[in-house]
Amino acid sequence: MSDGSLLDDALVRLDEAARHLNVDPDVVEKLKYARETTKVRLMIRMDDGSRKSFLAWRCRYDDTRGPTKGGIRYHPDAHVEEVETLAFWMTFKCAVMNLPYGGGKGAVRVDPRQLSKAELERLSRAYMQAFARTVGPDRDIPAPDVYTNSMIMGWMADEYAQIVGQAVPAVITGKPIALGGSLGRGDATARGGYYLVRHLADDLKLGKVMRVAVQGFGNAGQYVAQLLAGDGHRIVAVSDSQGAVYAGNGLNVEALLAAKARGKSVMATVGQHGHEALDPDKIVGVQCELLVPAALENMIHAENAKSVRAKLILELANGPVTPEADEILAKADVVVLPDILANAGGVTVSYFEWVQNRQGYYWTEQEIHGRLQSIMEREGRTIWELSRQRGIPMRTGAYVHALGRLAEAIEAHGTQSFFTS
Ligand code: GLU
């Protein structure tokens, strides 16, 4: 088995799970294909008066368990297969957490850092115009993903309200608080992963003070560094798209966050607080106990998996480890807490936001944290026990757990169903 295409690699995990579960082959067949993927070209006016077009997609992968749910990514390398793979992962992620959702995903092929704020707003509104009939609070509910944020979700919510003639906050999650966003959504992805690691710390025999390397210093990476440093762990290496920094005795996390808040790279801190520059390709092999990939897919692959020194990998990114790397890591006794569980805190608090929007009744931050923690611990514990009992990796355990729920729903719909056809 070699590092294949993204979707093929994702389907390897589905086949693997099916081998451990007595499911109808029709169920597996259904889950191999996206239900619908729409491609559009968005034309927007640039600040200099010219017009520019951008490719954009929205995929509703599977809606058997409920409306499709998943973020919108802005990235210069976005492509249709990536969108469908991310939507496949959302399908399993929502099932792992028992959220009443299917899986979806969207993307625009754009480097948002090249756009002015006004251009970004026009692009985001154009996306919502193009997909206004695809999305809906009971149909398909977008959210933030790589290089999108609450400001963009706010513009999209506003555009949707203008199109349908009334505010429908539950059509999109990750909104600004002022537009019906939820407390605790900002750090939810990192916080969910942090609760999971804390809950399994004794089972995994983790030390009180771990050295941690974080690859990717966006929303998830920054918050997880902050949460782990707050518990006394040492963040020894972090990287972003511009480079990586290292300090054996622990980086100054406040200084890193301050650099990012100024729109700078973590590299801006080199030479201060004992921070040294590190080859970003070397971060995967840094001497540490916990490695947190928090950037993009396929970061740990057949070539660099052998260099991993960590005992534990927390996948805050989607799809950071290839199937071939999984095998190498398993042989080396490295435990991988898989994306569809480890980073599910984000979509879980998105679900809380959607529930609050529909009730028109808002919870405290403490309530959000408490509910997130209990769901992470409940599903994390179940998958841990399942993996131990069957002697399978946590990833396979998570897929088996989710596939069981998906199979039950697919079968419950019946063979003539519109949803399962
Ligand atoms: N983009 C996030 C993910 O990959 C969050 C999705 C959501 O909140 O719907 O899980």
Side-chain angles (χ1 to χ4, degrees):
M1 191 195 318
S2 65
D3 295 11
S5 86
L6 203 57
L7 189 56
D8 289 345
D9 276 359
L11 295 176
V12 165
R13 272 79 182 243
L14 169 59
D15 285 330
E16 175 73 17
R19 276 198 284 281
H20 293 274
L21 204 67
N22 186 19
V23 285
D24 188 331
D26 286 355
V27 166
V28 178
E29 181 65 12
K30 172 170 167 50
L31 291 169
K32 282 193 171 161
Y33 308 97
R35 179 193 166 92
E36 77 184 45
T37 307
T38 310
K39 173 175 118 178
V40 297
R41 225 167 227 294
L42 306 175
M43 284 287 266
I44 64 157
R45 181 80 64 195
M46 305 302 280
D47 292 346
D48 67 3
S50 66
R51 274 161 89 77
K52 219 170 164 176
S53 83
F54 299 88
L55 268 182
W57 300 267
R58 185 74 191 164
C59 169
R60 298 178 65 236
Y61 196 94
D62 184 85
D63 62 348
T64 315
R65 299 186 78 258
T68 46
K69 183 87 191 81
I72 300 169
R73 172 173 294 199
Y74 286 1
H75 199 278
D77 301 328
H79 56 92
V80 65
E81 194 195 351
E82 181 189 52
V83 176
E84 291 193 339
T85 308
L86 288 158
F88 167 88
W89 285 325
M90 286 309 302
T91 305
F92 279 79
K93 195 184 298 183
C94 293
V96 159
M97 302 305 274
N98 210 14
L99 308 178
Y101 292 138
K105 203 80 175 198
V108 181
R109 185 177 293 166
V110 61
D111 184 350
R113 292 165 297 192
Q114 308 291 321
L115 299 188
S116 70
K117 191 172 168 186
E119 289 165 345
L120 199 61
E121 178 169 351
R122 288 195 286 275
L123 181 71
S124 305
R125 288 183 182 278
Y127 187 94
M128 189 45 101
Q129 282 162 21
F131 290 109
R133 278 184 298 278
T134 303
V135 302
D138 289 304
R139 195 164 196 280
D140 179 41
I141 307 142
D145 195 75
V146 173
Y147 294 151
T148 54
N149 54 27
S150 62
M151 181 174 70
I152 292 173
M153 299 304 112
W155 292 329
M156 289 186 176
D158 180 79
E159 189 64 28
Y160 189 78
Q162 291 187 32
I163 293 167
V164 300
Q166 61 181 27
V168 186
V171 72
I172 196 162
T173 60
K175 299 178 294 295
I177 304 288
L179 295 184
S182 177
L183 295 170
R185 178 64 185 84
D187 74 354
T189 304
R191 185 173 286 276
Y194 161 78
Y195 286 147
L196 181 69
V197 169
R198 247 186 16 182
H199 180 65
L200 295 175
D202 288 345
D203 305 271
L204 292 164
K205 302 190 177 54
L206 303 179
K208 284 264 169 295
V209 180
M210 291 189 285
R211 288 168 297 178
V212 183
V214 182
Q215 186 212 32
F217 211 55
N219 177 282
Q222 290 180 45
Y223 280 120
V224 86
Q226 224 174 344
L227 287 164
L228 290 168
D231 275 0
H233 299 296
R234 258 192 284 153
I235 315 300
V236 292
V238 305
S239 66
D240 62 19
S241 61
Q242 307 299 306
V245 285
Y246 176 83
N249 291 325
L251 295 159
N252 183 320
V253 175
E254 292 307 319
L256 294 169
L257 296 173
K260 293 307 273 191
R262 291 197 310 273
K264 296 267 186 299
S265 160
V266 295
M267 296 302 283
T269 66
V270 170
Q272 302 157 22
H273 315 285
H275 294 193
E276 297 163 27
L278 172 76
D279 176 352
D281 291 338
K282 297 267 154 50
I283 195 158
V284 165
V286 159
Q287 192 73 54
C288 63
E289 283 73 43
L290 172 61
L291 173 62
V292 186
L296 296 168
E297 303 91 57
N298 292 348
M299 290 298 175
I300 305 175
H301 44 74
E303 272 71 57
N304 65 6
K306 282 188 200 73
S307 71
V308 170
R309 316 275 177 84
K311 295 274 159 292
L312 180 65
I313 295 179
L314 176 71
E315 293 188 334
L316 289 189
N318 288 310
V321 177
T322 66
E324 209 173 65
D326 261 345
E327 282 181 26
I328 297 168
L329 294 168
K331 281 199 191 101
D333 286 328
V334 180
V335 175
V336 179
L337 298 176
D339 48 6
I340 58 170
L341 169 68
N343 72 31
V347 70
T348 302
V349 177
S350 273
Y351 166 58
F352 297 162
E353 180 174 333
W354 180 81
V355 169
Q356 292 170 84
N357 290 155
R358 308 191 79 159
Q359 293 179 333
Y361 180 75
Y362 288 81
W363 309 345
T364 63
E365 190 162 47
Q366 221 179 349
E367 280 172 296
I368 305 279
H369 289 172
R371 288 177 205 246
L372 173 62
Q373 183 171 0
S374 77
I375 300 180
M376 284 311 300
E377 293 184 356
R378 182 187 73 206
E379 304 303 332
R381 175 62 45 196
T382 304
I383 293 168
W384 172 259
E385 301 295 345
L386 183 78
S387 306
R388 300 303 336 257
Q389 278 159 17
R390 304 206 184 184
I392 53 178
M394 286 286 277
R395 188 185 316 280
T396 313
Y399 273 88
V400 168
H401 184 50
L403 183 59
R405 285 182 174 151
L406 280 157
E408 201 182 328
I410 291 169
E411 280 156 20
H413 275 290
T415 50
Q416 304 295 309
S417 169
F418 167 72
F419 291 93
T420 58
S421 60

